[in-house]
Amino acid sequence: MSNVGADPYFEELKQGLALQKSGYRREAQSVYRRVLQQNPLHAMALHLAGTVAGQLGCPYEAVELLRKSVAVNPADPMAWNNLANALQDIDATEAAIAAVDEALAKAPGYAAAWATRATALLAVSRHTEAGEAFEQAVHFAPHLASAWAGLWRARSESCQWEGLDRVRIKVEAQLASTPTPALLPFESLSFTQDPEIHRRCAKAFGDTVMERESIEPKRVFAPRQKGGRIKLAYVSADFHDHATAHLTAELFERHDRSRFEVVAFSFGPDDRSLMRKRLQSAFDEFIDVRGLNNGDIAELMLKSRVDIAVDLKGYTRGARTSVLLRKPAPIVVNYLGYPGTMGHPAYDYIIGDPVVTPFSDATAYAEKIVQMPHSYQVNDTQRAISECVPTRVEEGLPSSGFVFAAFNNCYKITPDFFAVWMRLLKRVPGSVLWLVCDLSDIRENLQREASAQGVAPERLVFARRVPLAQHLARHAHADILLDTLPYNAHTTASDALWAGVPVLTCQGRAFAGRVAASLLAASGLPELVTHTLHEYEAMAFRLATDADFLNGFKRRIAEDRASLPLFNSAEFVANLEAAYTQMFDRWAQGLAPAAFAVRDLKAVTALHP
């Protein structure tokens, strides 16, 4: 901030900026507001007030102030860039792109603005343009680690693998040379199988959120005596037609209301869907907090006297992580939405199982591990499968031939696994690879890779996105579902098993790469868990060429589905409630959180009727 034109407010604003940089954001905000009371059109005061409003968790106020700033001084590229970042915070992505383009028109070599533009483009799945923008960012600032991490994400998400090794080396070097990783937590799950790196990335991001929003250290709650119902709060942006909702709806409905009061804190959209209506009816109270800032949501939870807050988002898109980092309940649980540690002591427990979270991995988690007796993943047994099954032709599939389905999101596909798939297509005549992808640039990248490996591009069949019941119905044409690593199929795998399709996985080292193994264990199909690429390819080939072997797995799923632990919702909810009760009892006794395994109540009852 330069003293341009002997600004009479320069020293005052300089003081405010020093406070802001030192973490005293409320005090800085007071300084900026004082200047604005005297001069409401002071561009720099508006600019700084906007940035501090964003840091305090008030994104709409930030946007309003920054828009005023650029209206007064449209020549300031930094203000335009900060406006773009604030617009992204309220999901106004197209407006953010327009704002950052203004910044770049005024300062073409502004590396941070190129990175801002790239991040916004990624949010609307314009991967090719995002990659180009990140390339500009690292050109102008070769040591900008976050831009290298972003470039890796843009390339990997779009399956644009040419030159990816160069980018990966840069990101790995940054991970090795600094304690503060540039990879975002969710990105780290696809980047590496190393759970220690996942923990570091999670902690670094959480620290940034804590510092940016001036969140106080972990809140202390006085224990209360056991008595009355335990108040559970599920916190999410996904209480609508979303994969998480399709897994959890029956959980919310089945909770024992004599022992638990169950509320939702929803900060996601109301899509007016049947699922939204079902969820609103499933809770004792459904609280829409979209219009509140993070601090106010946390205060509301505190006033509501929530006993256990269950975060169903973690570090995924649409999360309001700082709400839970404020410790709005005596017990905070990381469950389902994010397959890894949150990296912060505000979180007391992570719910897993013996496969995804073995106790031997405890040091990779900031939370204490709670192991469910079968799989950690809840399932909704009311998921309908449409009776209208499309024909193979309608799905773009050949009239005959083996169908390798690979329905994971394309960002999970890696060059190594794609190479295995291409070898399988060459070894199994007439077979096809069935993928789900709406984006033409990703389709073209995968087709180009197939051609480069000697496979005709038309042997890659791309399914269109359809409602869940229709998607489940078309699984009738899939022979097996091929999984990926380091990020497995999660809901995609349970969907396939629910529809009767065997899943072939390769078990990894970290939570995200062990989920399908967990689901297969809970489905009585451990033979479909492999541990090396060689084993994975050999098993896939056998399944594709030995019909009796494959049909044996299909029969087992069809005959046993109703009794499988994976799809026994009543048993799952009873076991999860036992976990919640044990968490609460420890807290009520003044004891610190501790890892534990939940005993299967069904098995206990069988032993002691």
Side-chain angles (χ1 to χ4, degrees):
M1 190 176 77
S2 60
N3 187 3
V4 179
D7 184 340
Y9 302 105
F10 175 79
E11 290 300 330
E12 199 167 357
L13 291 173
K14 184 178 177 182
Q15 177 193 22
L17 184 59
L19 289 166
Q20 185 177 349
K21 288 181 175 180
S22 299
Y24 296 100
R25 295 186 177 86
R26 293 288 181 191
E27 292 81 356
Q29 186 179 54
S30 297
V31 172
Y32 305 147
R33 285 177 173 175
R34 191 161 59 243
V35 171
L36 289 171
Q37 285 175 351
Q38 300 171 64
N39 184 352
L41 296 180
H42 193 287
M44 183 53 69
L46 288 164
H47 181 178
L48 294 172
T51 61
V52 82
Q55 291 171 341
L56 290 169
C58 303
Y60 290 94
E61 181 184 349
V63 168
E64 181 183 359
L65 289 163
L66 287 160
R67 277 184 167 149
K68 288 179 179 178
S69 178
V70 297
V72 176
N73 180 17
D76 183 357
M78 188 176 290
W80 281 109
N81 185 52
N82 285 330
L83 173 59
N85 286 316
L87 287 163
Q88 287 190 78
D89 288 341
I90 62 170
D91 294 324
T93 308
E94 294 298 338
I97 294 169
V100 77
D101 284 348
E102 291 284 351
L104 290 167
K106 292 158 182 61
Y110 188 1
W114 281 112
T116 298
R117 187 175 201 275
T119 302
L121 289 165
L122 273 182
V124 289
S125 300
R126 290 162 61 179
H127 296 89
T128 301
E129 294 173 82
E132 292 167 353
F134 277 127
E135 288 280 12
Q136 289 291 324
V138 298
H139 170 73
F140 289 113
H143 301 296
L144 187 59
S146 60
W148 284 108
L151 180 57
W152 175 84
R153 177 186 167 196
R155 292 279 182 82
S156 59
E157 282 191 3
S158 59
C159 303
Q160 188 180 351
W161 298 323
E162 185 177 353
L164 190 60
D165 287 345
R166 170 184 71 99
V167 181
R168 185 179 187 88
I169 289 168
K170 290 284 188 181
V171 178
E172 288 175 339
Q174 192 271 339
L175 286 169
S177 63
T178 175
T180 307
L183 273 177
L184 296 176
F186 187 76
E187 294 170 357
S188 74
L189 303 181
S190 298
F191 185 83
T192 179
Q193 294 192 55
D194 188 342
E196 176 59 23
I197 290 179
H198 299 167
R199 185 194 64 78
R200 286 175 54 205
C201 292
K203 184 178 186 304
F205 187 82
D207 285 345
T208 298
V209 173
M210 295 275 287
E211 192 272 335
R212 184 183 68 212
E213 299 195 23
S214 300
I215 298 173
E216 295 297 322
K218 185 175 177 180
R219 194 188 312 267
V220 177
F221 292 82
R224 75 171 173 85
Q225 293 301 310
K226 185 176 179 181
R229 296 190 297 172
I230 296 172
K231 189 165 187 175
L232 287 175
Y234 287 96
V235 185
S236 182
D238 299 332
F239 294 129
H240 54 271
D241 190 8
H242 184 277
T244 300
H246 291 302
L247 291 176
T248 55
E250 191 174 357
L251 162 65
F252 308 138
E253 293 165 340
R254 281 187 175 273
H255 270 307
D256 182 353
R257 289 333 202 255
S258 69
R259 297 166 53 219
F260 296 91
E261 179 184 355
V262 188
V263 301
F265 283 82
S266 172
F267 45 82
D270 179 358
D271 60 358
R272 310 284 181 182
S273 63
L274 291 175
M275 176 57 75
R276 176 73 168 196
K277 292 182 175 64
R278 180 183 172 190
L279 293 170
Q280 287 174 321
S281 300
F283 290 95
D284 298 314
E285 188 176 9
F286 190 97
I287 306 170
D288 191 333
V289 293
R290 279 176 292 173
L292 300 181
N293 66 43
N294 297 332
D296 288 343
I297 297 172
E299 287 301 317
L300 180 59
M301 293 178 71
L302 283 167
K303 290 176 183 177
S304 300
R305 295 182 62 81
V306 170
D307 294 311
I308 302 175
V310 184
D311 183 3
L312 296 174
K313 286 299 294 179
Y315 292 125
T316 59
R317 181 175 294 182
R320 302 278 287 270
T321 308
S322 74
V323 173
L324 282 305
L325 290 177
R326 286 175 163 83
K327 191 70 175 175
I331 302 164
V332 176
V333 178
N334 172 16
Y335 178 52
L336 193 64
Y338 183 71
T341 182
M342 293 300 291
H344 261 266
Y347 285 78
D348 301 290
Y349 296 98
I350 182 169
I351 295 176
D353 61 49
V355 176
V356 295
T357 52
F359 289 131
S360 58
D361 284 355
T363 57
Y365 294 88
E367 310 90 337
K368 298 301 181 183
I369 293 172
V370 174
Q371 290 183 346
M372 295 292 285
H374 302 292
S375 177
Y376 82 104
Q377 190 190 86
V378 66
N379 272 274
D380 180 5
T381 59
Q382 297 178 40
R383 274 181 293 185
I385 300 177
S386 174
E387 296 179 359
C388 299
V389 180
T391 66
R392 287 173 69 115
V393 172
E394 287 171 334
E395 287 296 324
L397 296 166
S399 58
S400 63
F402 195 88
V403 177
F404 294 102
F407 288 157
N408 278 350
N409 283 317
C410 289
Y411 71 81
K412 296 183 181 182
I413 302 174
T414 64
D416 287 346
F417 274 79
F418 190 77
V420 169
W421 299 347
M422 294 304 98
R423 289 197 294 271
L424 288 168
L425 292 183
K426 287 190 283 189
R427 295 174 68 191
V428 182
S431 62
V432 295
L433 180 66
W434 197 12
L435 303 130
V436 176
C437 180
D438 293 330
L439 300 173
S440 60
D441 59 338
I442 299 179
R443 292 185 181 193
E444 290 168 4
N445 289 338
L446 289 171
Q447 289 170 331
R448 184 170 53 253
E449 288 288 338
S451 182
Q453 297 186 43
V455 174
E458 56 268 24
R459 294 182 70 183
L460 274 58
V461 179
F462 295 97
R464 66 197 188 283
R465 294 195 182 274
V466 296
L468 179 61
Q470 296 175 37
H471 176 59
L472 292 172
R474 69 183 175 192
H475 277 71
H477 302 309
D479 290 299
I480 60 172
L481 182 83
L482 295 173
D483 198 12
T484 50
L485 194 68
Y487 204 134
N488 279 179
H490 294 187
T491 308
T492 302
S494 55
D495 281 347
L497 293 167
W498 180 247
V501 178
V503 176
L504 177 65
T505 192
C506 189
Q507 181 172 311
R509 290 173 55 199
F511 192 139
R514 303 171 74 93
V515 170
S518 164
L519 303 181
L520 288 165
S523 302
L525 301 170
E527 307 98 311
L528 293 175
V529 180
T530 64
H531 297 86
T532 67
L533 270 178
H534 178 75
E535 288 180 10
Y536 174 90
E537 183 172 351
M539 177 61 84
F541 182 71
R542 183 180 178 189
L543 289 165
T545 56
D546 186 338
D548 290 340
F549 185 61
L550 173 63
N551 289 332
F553 289 109
K554 290 185 175 181
R555 278 195 302 273
R556 284 161 62 182
I557 298 171
E559 292 170 1
D560 300 341
R561 193 182 75 169
S563 61
L564 294 175
L566 182 63
F567 299 122
N568 189 332
S569 296
E571 179 185 345
F572 181 91
V573 174
N575 288 328
L576 183 61
E577 288 179 341
Y580 288 151
T581 300
Q582 188 163 338
M583 295 175 196
F584 179 84
D585 288 349
R586 286 193 64 83
W587 171 70
Q589 296 167 34
L591 299 175
F596 62 90
V598 178
R599 297 181 67 191
D600 184 2
L601 294 184
K602 183 178 179 180
V604 171
T605 302
L607 288 171
H608 306 285

